[in-house]
């Protein structure tokens, strides 16, 4: 994993309230104190800003805003991962697991697993 991602994940982890993060002194700790919904809302905002920057870059050729917004999106995604006790390495492991798989086949397999889970008979009442 990138040393930058590793260091950033460690800093974010240290900002959790259970690890002594102070919402009065840290933006990340403040997000953690507001809970899942605040973190997810921020990711939605950053995703939208990333899309809009990419659309603008398609017209004006200025990719700098895409880079800036994507960095914000990644940063807030790292906060979300930490909120759910996941790490960037977990994401990299999942990507490695998928390597060489057809995206179409991967998606079809996930649907099949979900369908099979829905079809399993539940406990008798």
């Amino acid at each position: 994993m990138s040393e930058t991602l590793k260091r950033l994940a460690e800093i974010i982890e240290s900002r959790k309230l259970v690890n002594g993060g102070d919402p009065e002194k840290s933006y990340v700790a403040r997000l953690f104190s507001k809970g899942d919904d605040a973190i997810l809302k921020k990711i939605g905002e950053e995703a939208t800003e990333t899309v809009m920057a990419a659309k603008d870059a398609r017209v004006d050729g200025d990719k700098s805003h895409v880079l800036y917004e994507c960095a914000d999106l990644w940063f807030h995604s790292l906060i979300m991962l930490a909120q759910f006790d996941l790490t960037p390495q977990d994401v990299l492991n999942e990507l490695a697991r998928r390597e060489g798989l057809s995206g179409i086949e991967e998606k079809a397999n996930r649907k099949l697993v979900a369908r099979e889970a829905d079809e399993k008979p539940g406990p008798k009442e």
Side-chain angles (χ1 to χ4, degrees):
M1 178 169 55
S2 152
E3 286 302 312
T4 302
L5 275 178
K6 184 177 179 183
R7 281 192 312 273
L8 190 52
E10 289 169 356
I11 292 168
I12 289 169
E13 188 68 27
S14 76
R15 299 301 195 265
K16 286 183 172 181
L17 304 181
V18 298
N19 295 329
D22 183 353
E24 296 296 319
K25 296 179 181 176
S26 165
Y27 168 76
V28 173
R30 190 173 317 129
L31 270 179
F32 281 133
S33 74
K34 292 179 180 180
D36 301 350
D37 285 341
I39 295 167
L40 299 175
K41 179 181 176 187
K42 193 64 184 167
I43 290 173
E45 291 172 13
E46 297 301 341
T48 299
E49 290 172 4
T50 302
V51 168
M52 297 310 295
K55 286 180 168 280
D56 290 346
R58 188 172 56 190
V59 173
D60 64 20
D62 182 1
K63 299 181 280 185
S64 65
H65 296 290
V66 176
L67 184 60
Y68 180 87
E69 295 301 342
C70 191
D72 282 351
L73 178 59
W74 280 27
F75 177 75
H76 288 89
S77 294
L78 290 172
I79 295 170
M80 177 194 62
L81 288 172
Q83 176 73 5
F84 291 99
D85 297 320
L86 296 167
T87 67
Q89 188 61 54
D90 294 327
V91 176
L92 293 173
N93 293 345
E94 176 60 16
L95 290 171
R97 184 191 69 78
R98 295 180 188 186
E99 190 174 359
L101 294 176
S102 158
I104 294 170
E105 290 174 16
E106 168 70 15
K107 188 172 182 178
N109 188 45
R110 280 186 275 146
K111 286 182 179 180
L112 177 63
V113 169
R115 187 171 41 248
E116 287 173 352
D118 288 343
E119 293 173 357
K120 283 186 181 177
K124 302 282 183 197
E125 293 182 17

